[in-house]
């Protein structure tokens, strides 16, 4: 064997031995996997997380506020950032926060309602309870069920056997106007008593009197022209009709019927008993100016 052959043989053997010694051993989880494109990747590589599905019923807070008509989305962002907006009683300053169905959103303390504002005037007949609660038999909500898709509710109350005008709305500003203890909105009632109202009792009601230490006051009281003195016109700003019963029970009169014939400038004209109508723009503007 020649010297060159021996060297070549040793060289090859050395390389072979070197190759054998440097052979890489892969643990089971890290063995290379060949892709269709010829590249390799570790078998334990993490897959990217699927994007979280958005709930179509959730609405961005700024859009929710803008939909209520309070302001634009850009202005809503400013209000949110300055801490004027709360959701379910907690102040939210996070941009992009989403509101879920049923959440209570308030701006500067007032409830925010993204629904279109609705104003429905009903001429209530007897036999219907003034409530939006279920399980109360026939209610005024049954009578206005087809008036609007908005979540309206009655302002004030009329007893089941009372009749006349009731205003429904989802506008919190109008509700506050009616329930404001200092100002309120006047309502005119036609009341029939079981007997003639004595003149001295008439004057006491007109002047104001106390019941159990509480002062009872009315806006106006009058006899009905052309009728007996059993029929009385009474104007009050209280939203309930319990005060009417309190007044006449104090003077030992029984009430035969109660009919709300006017709410501020709104009357029953062209609204048959059991029917309703939407307020006109002019009627609404007049109401808001009170």
């Amino acid at each position: 064997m020649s010297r060159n052959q021996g060297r070549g043989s040793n060289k090859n053997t050395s390389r072979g031995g070197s190759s054998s010694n440097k052979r890489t051993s892969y643990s089971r989880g890290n063995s290379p996997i060949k892709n269709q494109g010829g590249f390799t990747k570790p078998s334990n590589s993490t897959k990217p997380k699927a994007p979280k599905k958005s709930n179509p019923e959730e609405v961005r807070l700024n859009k929710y506020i803008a939909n209520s008509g309070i302001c634009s989305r850009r202005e809503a962002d400013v209000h949110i950032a300055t801490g004027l907006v709360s959701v379910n009683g907690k102040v939210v300053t996070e941009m992009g926060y989403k509101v879920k169905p049923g959440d209570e959103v308030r701006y500067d303390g007032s409830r925010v309602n993204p629904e279109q504002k609705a104003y429905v005037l009903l001429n209530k007949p007897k036999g219907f309870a003034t409530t939006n609660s279920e399980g109360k038999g026939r209610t005024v909500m049954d009578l206005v069920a087809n008036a609007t898709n908005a979540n309206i509710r009655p302002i004030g109350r009329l007893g089941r056997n009372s009749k006349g005008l009731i205003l429904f709305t989802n506008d919190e500003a109008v509700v506050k106007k009616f329930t404001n203890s200092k100002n309120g909105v006047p309502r005119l009632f036609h009341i029939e008593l079981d007997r003639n109202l004595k003149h001295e009792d008439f004057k006491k009601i007109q002047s104001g009197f106390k019941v159990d230490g509480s002062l009872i006051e009315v806006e106006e009281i009058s006899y009905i022209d052309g009728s007996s003195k059993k029929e009385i016109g009474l104007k009050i700003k209280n939203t309930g009709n319990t005060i009417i019963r309190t007044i006449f029970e104090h003077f030992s009169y029984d009430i035969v019927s109660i009919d709300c014939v006017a709410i501020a400038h709104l009357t029953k004209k062209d609204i048959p008993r059991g029917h309703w109508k939407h307020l006109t723009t002019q009627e609404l503007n007049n109401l808001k100016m009170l």
Side-chain angles (χ1 to χ4, degrees):
M1 179 175 65
S2 68
R3 182 178 296 178
N4 290 337
Q5 287 176 329
R7 287 178 180 175
S9 174
N10 290 338
K11 188 175 182 179
N12 291 337
T13 301
S14 174
R15 286 178 180 174
S18 174
S19 174
S20 175
N21 290 339
K22 291 183 179 181
R23 185 179 303 147
T24 303
S25 175
Y26 295 95
S27 63
R28 170 173 283 183
N30 294 321
S31 59
I33 299 174
K34 189 172 183 179
N35 293 329
Q36 292 180 350
F39 299 100
T40 60
K41 64 178 180 179
S43 61
N44 66 343
S45 61
T46 57
K47 295 182 179 180
K49 292 183 179 180
K52 185 179 178 180
K53 292 183 178 180
S54 60
N55 186 342
E57 294 186 342
E58 293 182 350
V59 181
R60 287 175 68 96
L61 183 55
N62 62 350
K63 181 180 179 182
Y64 187 96
I65 295 171
N67 287 348
S68 72
I70 293 175
C71 59
S72 67
R73 286 200 199 184
R74 182 173 296 180
E75 290 170 330
D77 284 335
V78 175
H79 298 322
I80 293 169
T82 53
L84 290 175
V85 179
S86 66
V87 179
N88 299 329
K90 295 182 179 180
V91 173
V92 173
T93 57
E94 174 189 343
M95 293 297 111
Y97 184 92
K98 290 192 174 182
V99 179
K100 299 183 290 294
D103 283 348
E104 182 183 272
V105 180
R106 289 185 176 272
Y107 164 68
D108 201 18
S110 298
R111 182 76 180 267
V112 176
N113 194 332
E115 296 177 323
Q116 184 176 358
K117 299 294 187 292
Y119 310 87
V120 177
L121 188 64
L122 170 72
N123 187 357
K124 174 189 172 303
K126 286 184 178 181
F128 290 82
T130 306
T131 179
N132 52 358
S133 301
E134 297 180 357
K136 299 292 184 179
R138 297 191 303 174
T139 74
V140 291
M141 300 307 297
D142 298 323
L143 297 171
V144 297
N146 298 323
T148 175
N149 291 326
N151 186 28
I152 58 174
R153 60 187 177 92
I155 303 177
R157 300 179 68 85
L158 284 178
R160 187 180 291 273
N161 291 321
S162 300
K163 54 194 177 184
L165 295 177
I166 300 178
L167 181 64
F168 297 74
T169 187
N170 57 348
D171 189 335
E172 289 294 324
V174 171
V175 173
K176 281 187 176 181
K177 184 179 289 291
F178 272 80
T179 55
N180 185 294
S181 58
K182 183 178 293 185
N183 298 317
V185 173
R187 297 193 300 166
L188 179 62
F189 292 87
H190 180 180
I191 301 163
E192 183 180 352
L193 303 175
D194 63 327
R195 56 194 175 90
N196 291 343
L197 178 63
K198 295 178 182 178
H199 183 71
E200 56 266 33
D201 293 336
F202 179 97
K203 297 302 287 185
K204 289 177 183 177
I205 295 172
Q206 189 177 52
S207 301
F209 61 96
K210 287 189 176 183
V211 176
D212 297 329
S214 297
L215 180 63
I216 304 295
E217 294 181 296
V218 302
E219 296 297 306
E220 293 178 18
I221 184 170
S222 63
Y223 292 111
I224 302 296
D225 290 339
S227 300
S228 71
K229 294 190 176 183
K230 293 191 298 185
E231 297 189 45
I232 308 298
L234 188 71
K235 182 181 288 188
I236 60 174
K237 287 186 176 179
N238 190 288
T239 54
N241 69 341
T242 55
I243 189 173
I244 297 175
R245 298 195 179 278
T246 299
I247 290 171
F248 292 104
E249 284 176 4
H250 179 74
F251 294 100
S252 301
Y253 295 89
D254 289 332
I255 296 175
V256 176
S257 67
I258 297 176
D259 187 358
C260 182
V261 297
I263 300 175
H265 57 279
L266 304 173
T267 69
K268 297 187 296 182
K269 183 181 178 181
D270 300 327
I271 312 177
R273 194 79 73 189
H275 291 249
W276 52 264
K277 75 165 191 174
H278 290 281
L279 295 192
T280 65
T281 301
Q282 187 61 54
E283 287 172 333
L284 179 58
N285 289 340
N286 291 342
L287 189 63
K288 289 184 174 182
M289 289 173 62
L290 291 175

